[in-house]
Amino acid sequence: MVQITYRIVEHDGGWAYQLGGTYSETFADHDAARAAAVAAAREQKVPDEDTLIEFADPSGRWVIERADGHDRPEVDVEG
């Protein structure tokens, strides 16, 4: 199972949650950023329907594969 972690960080004069190198919008305070991260984490756990997805792999080749809508990541919020 995939593990992802949202981290609460200072960003653009406020607070944001970060996943990898991507930041959320900026929130006025830490608590608001944490609440938004918890909401995003909760949505990650909601199962969906199986579907075909298309994406470019690291070499730029396009790949089509079936995504299992019930294969959801484990999610944490830190900070």
Side-chain angles (χ1 to χ4, degrees):
M1 176 152 300
V2 174
Q3 172 72 38
I4 62 174
T5 302
Y6 291 106
R7 289 183 172 77
I8 311 306
V9 297
E10 291 185 66
H11 181 67
D12 271 350
W15 293 87
Y17 59 91
Q18 180 183 20
L19 180 61
T22 303
Y23 294 90
S24 70
E25 65 272 27
T26 303
F27 296 90
D29 58 49
H30 183 278
D31 289 343
R34 182 165 178 74
V38 168
R42 190 173 31 250
E43 289 178 19
Q44 288 283 348
K45 296 180 180 182
V46 176
D48 201 356
E49 297 178 12
D50 292 358
T51 189
L52 291 178
I53 60 173
E54 185 175 0
F55 60 94
D57 70 11
S59 70
R61 184 178 62 95
W62 284 96
V63 178
I64 299 173
E65 67 181 39
R66 179 169 298 283
D68 179 353
H70 294 87
D71 183 17
R72 308 309 303 156
E74 290 292 321
V75 186
D76 286 325
V77 175
E78 291 182 353

